[in-house]
Every structure is written in structure tokens, then in C-alpha cells.
Amino acid sequence: MPIVVQKFGGTSVGNPERIMNVARRVVETQRAGNSVVVVVSAMSGVTDGLIKLARQVSTHPTDREMDVLLATGEQTTIALTAMALHSLGAKAISLTGAQAGIITDGIHTKAKIANVTPRQIRKHLNEGNVCIVAGFQGQTLQGHITTLGRGGSDLTAIAIAAALRADHCEIFTDVDGVYTCDPRVVPDAKKLDIIYYDELLEMASSGAKVMQSRSVEFAKKFNVPFEVRSSFNNNRGTTVKAEQHGLENVVVRGISIERNQAKVTITNVPDRPGTASRIFNALASANVSIDVIVQNVSVSGSTDISFTMNNDDLEKLGGMIDGVAKEIGAGEVIKKGGIAKLSVVGIGMRSHSGVAAKLFDCLGNGGVNIQMISTSEIKIAVIIEESKIESAANFAHAAFGLAD
Ligand code: ADP
Ligand code: ASP
Ligand code: MG
């Protein structure tokens, strides 16, 4: 019997009525002759609510206890979904991440999946059950509960689909698929029929939260094609799959934006070997991910180094960067929040020129100042004022003809 994995996100299971709708869709899929594994998120708002609760009892809750707490969100949904299926007369059983065989490393709050042993899932499917698996959670070999980073139920679904060699993997969400840009930001955005792993990976890792970026990385690594579609209708969604060589590739597939970024500039950094290493090693030890880095050409034996990171990370760092700057004999450290990143993504950029020029033109004409630029083979990203990000996304969307 074909195996289908269906993942439902927070909004799709946001209240009892929606959970009943999910149950009805699952029963339909099973009655069409499939074995069905369902992966669910916590009901919308529940994970955020649990994080707020933790902060009310502790300013620095440990990551281990955060995982024990956050895992309860998904555990509530699996039980409710199984009960909803029972009420429709279907055989169903709920499984926590651990019971579903999801083994992770021990990096609490952002654990990586080390192994999936779907023995229990297979057994329950063979007995005619729908298996309802809690997304976002796993267990270490020592038996500690872990979570997979925000949005991690996507990863659970892809990893289970890979382990079961499922015939279909469907990610049900609150929009019709992957759009050319977040439809909440660009009202003209269009749903894409297909997008390649690499393109969605670039978009997801630069702010398009429609899929967790690690889940797309996993899908690419194990070649798990999947469909992103709406849980509120029966429209066809977006197929995400491996690049097909030889086809004419679109130059720009989509645009993503990332808000809440911060820029740090260390001025007058002595121009000698080892200074950049000292700065970025200190940031790495503090577990901070750095995004764009720019170093000026040195004219008088010293240079300025600027880099961006998430604004929350900058606040977490406190005076750490100032300390490092002093130690290496650099000058003033300028910290600036309120910036954002706009990225233009498409596989056809590998073989087409002129994309950067078109982007800079449209931003210039719209009065948007570019503070930093970074590129990859299939992406051009610019750092701009956060207050201009929505208009910039709309200018770029129109300039590349994405609504046509
Ligand atoms: P779920 O709870 O189902 O996991 P998410 O809220 O994580 O759903 O992701 C869906 C949201 O992603 C959409 O409501 C949309 O606002 C946002 N989004 C951002 N970029 C895109 C994009 N390019 N295409 C579609 N949705 C996007
Ligand atoms: N509930 C988790 C979150 O809100 C995981 C998920 O929804 O995918 O991040
Ligand atoms: Mg999500």
C-alpha cells in the first residue's frame, strides 16, 4: 500500500473544528487506499505561550527544561488528532517523537536528527492504524527530550518520509503553496507550481518561513520531493523537487525578506593577520550566527569590519564585542538595529547576468539605500533600513515581473 506523510502546521490545527477538518482529510486519504502518517505541530500560539510562561518563572531557563516544556505543545495535538480520528470511526494511534523513533544529538532547543528508526510506525501502520506523530521533537540516546528548532515539525515530516521511503509527502499550511514572495508582504505574489530544493533552501534560510530551512536541506540531501499546500482547500500546491538539468531555468524564482537584523561595525581594526579570526571566533564561541560580512580596503594600516546578525543575538552579546575590539587595538564599535535583508533568488542566475543591476536600479529609483550587499551563485541579497523592507520587496517583485 502506498505510504503518504501529511504534516499539518499550527494554524491548520489551531482549534477543535480545524482538528476535525484535518481528521476528515486524513480519513479520505486512508480510504483512497493509502497508509497515512500524520505529523502535527502545536496549536497556533501554543509554543509562544509556553515560552512566555517559562520567562515568568525564570530569566534564564535551561535549554533542557525548555525542551521538556515545549514538547508538550505537540503532545497535546497528537492526542486530540487521534481522538478526532476515533470519533470518525478510524483506527489511529498517537506517538511522541521518541516513540516514533526520532533520535537526535543533545543540542537542546536546536537538536539535529541523528537517526530515524520507524519500527513502531511500521508496526502500527501494518495493523491498519493512522499514525499521528508529534512534530518538532525527538530524544537523545540517553533518553532526554529534545526539540528541533522553531518550525521543526517540517523537519519531522521530511525525515519520516525519508525513513519510510514514503510515496508522497504533503506539507499542509495556511497558504496555497510557496509564493514568489510572502503574500502578506507582497499582495501581488503568485503561487509557484514548482520550485527546486536549492531555491527554496536559499529563500527559507533568508527569511521565508513557509518551510523550516533545515527541513529543505534534509529533503535535498535524501531527495524527498514534497508538496506544500493549503489545509483549507483542495487546490494543487507547490511541488518541491530536485533540479532538472537541461530545462530552461527561470532567472528569478522568488524574493524573501528577513526583519529584525542588526549591523555591527568595528572601526580602525589593525590590518594584520589574525584580527578577523579573533573577532569571529569570539562570536562563534558565543553561539551567534553571523550573516553578511564586509571589510573595507585598508589604506592606512587599519580597516573597518561590518557584519550583520539577528538583533536578539546582538542584545544577548551585551558588551562582548566591545571587549574584543579593545583587546585587538581597534577603535569605536557602532551597533545598529532596525535593519533588514532582502534576497532575490533563482537558479537561472548562474547563467544570466544583469540581475544585480536590475535590483539596484529598482531600489535606487524607489529611494531605498543599500547598506551592504552579499551574493551566492543563485542569490543576491541587500541590507537596507527595516522601515523600507515592504516597499523594497514590492519594487523588486514588480521589477522582475514576478506577478506577470
Ligand atoms: P505552519 O504553521 O503551517 O508551519 P508557517 O506560519 O510556519 O505555517 O508558514 C506559513 C507562512 O509563511 C504563511 O502564512 C506566509 O505568511 C509565510 N511565508 C513567508 N514567505 C512565504 C512564501 N514565499 N510563500 C508562502 N508563504 C510564505
Ligand atoms: N511548534 C513549533 C513552533 O512553533 C514547531 C512547529 O510549529 O513546526 O516552532
Ligand atoms: Mg512552519
Side-chain angles (χ1 to χ4, degrees), residues 292-294 356 359-360 370-375 380-383:
V292 182
I293 303 174
V294 171
L359 175 65
F360 302 159
I370 299 169
Q371 302 182 19
M372 294 164 100
I373 300 166
S374 100
T375 61
I380 297 173
V382 292
I383 300 290

Side-chain angles (χ1 to χ4, degrees), residues 7-12 41 151 154 171-175 177-184 203 207-211 255:
K7 179 255 170 179
F8 295 89
T11 322
S12 307
S41 291
D154 294 332
I171 307 288
F172 287 93
T173 184
D174 55 6
V175 281
V178 179
Y179 280 67
T180 46
C181 190
D182 187 344
R184 290 175 212 256
M203 284 179 73
K209 75 161 198 164
V210 61
M211 285 295 292
I255 291 171

Side-chain angles (χ1 to χ4, degrees), residues 274-285:
T275 46
S277 147
R278 176 73 194 91
I279 297 167
F280 292 102
N281 270 309
L283 291 161
S285 320

Side-chain angles (χ1 to χ4, degrees), residues 190-258:
K190 282 257 163 7
K191 191 204 80 188
L192 295 162
D193 290 333
I194 65 144
I195 186 168
Y196 296 136
Y197 297 134
D198 280 326
E199 294 171 321
L200 185 55
L201 185 54
E202 284 281 12
M203 284 179 73
S205 51
S206 41
K209 75 161 198 164
V210 61
M211 285 295 292
Q212 188 211 33
S213 61
R214 279 173 54 193
S215 71
V216 185
E217 213 177 319
F218 198 102
K220 182 186 170 189
K221 188 165 168 196
F222 295 97
N223 193 17
V224 184
F226 59 96
E227 184 180 348
V228 180
R229 54 186 299 201
S230 170
S231 65
F232 303 130
N233 59 46
N234 276 319
N235 300 345
R236 289 269 26 115
T238 303
T239 300
V240 186
K241 59 180 188 180
E243 187 181 337
Q244 277 176 295
H245 293 283
L247 288 188
E248 178 65 23
N249 288 317
V250 297
V251 180
V252 171
R253 182 84 69 184
I255 291 171
S256 52
I257 64 168
E258 199 163 12

Side-chain angles (χ1 to χ4, degrees), residues 271-300:
D271 195 13
R272 57 177 145 75
T275 46
S277 147
R278 176 73 194 91
I279 297 167
F280 292 102
N281 270 309
L283 291 161
S285 320
N287 246 327
V288 167
S289 309
I290 300 300
D291 191 6
V292 182
I293 303 174
V294 171
Q295 175 175 320
N296 292 343
V297 178
S298 158
V299 277
S300 55

